[in-house]
Amino acid sequence: MDTSGSELSVLSAALKGAGIRMTHQRIEVFSELQASHGHPSVTEIYEGVRKRLPSISPDTVYRTLRLFSELGLIIPHSSTSSVTRFDVNVHEHHHFVCTRCSRIFDFTSSSIDPLEVPREAESFGEVQGVQLEVRGICRDCLRRERTQEE
Ligand SMILES: [Zn+2]
Ligand SMILES: [Zn+2]
């Protein structure tokens, strides 16, 4: 992913469209998200931003992340864990979730994407997208477990 220039223009366009001011704090939170390349938690974003903006409060970070997700810049990841994570990847993709370290890996699949939404799911309301969650143990955790057994 290339650095700030084009990504910041995405942020400024989204804020402008919603009539919201582009502040230094919002820019910093956004840059931290872009640098994370994954599915950071609120705490991870806060810890990162705090290094550059020591005065920022966790509450401000949380509210900024909520704002960004309302603007469609990030997607809150609903997972079974109690930690709220945000997905920086807003394009259609699926997840491999490690049940040991709870890391989330993105993947795309040409065989899943054409799947029809089951009628049973449609009965709950309006469908906005389909995301598959594959659960398992990631390679790092497998390797760790194997070396412990030896
Ligand atoms: Zn793992
Ligand atoms: Zn993702």
Side-chain angles (χ1 to χ4, degrees), residues 84-150:
T84 308
R85 292 184 173 276
F86 290 91
D87 204 330
V88 181
N89 184 354
V90 292
H91 303 286
E92 210 153 290
H93 67 281
H94 310 286
H95 284 153
F96 177 96
V97 183
C98 178
T99 54
R100 296 278 201 277
C101 65
S102 51
R103 262 196 300 169
I104 303 163
F105 304 87
D106 287 348
F107 69 93
T108 53
S109 164
S110 53
S111 57
I112 297 168
D113 293 344
L115 269 190
E116 242 174 80
V117 176
R119 223 175 269 265
E120 288 82 352
E122 276 176 339
S123 70
F124 294 109
E126 189 191 282
V127 175
Q128 294 179 315
V130 179
Q131 189 168 46
L132 184 81
E133 185 173 287
V134 176
R135 288 196 206 91
I137 305 167
C138 78
R139 274 196 217 163
D140 288 344
C141 289
L142 282 175
R143 205 175 301 136
R144 212 170 297 135
E145 280 172 24
R146 271 191 211 126
T147 44
Q148 273 164 10
E149 279 165 19
E150 277 161 18

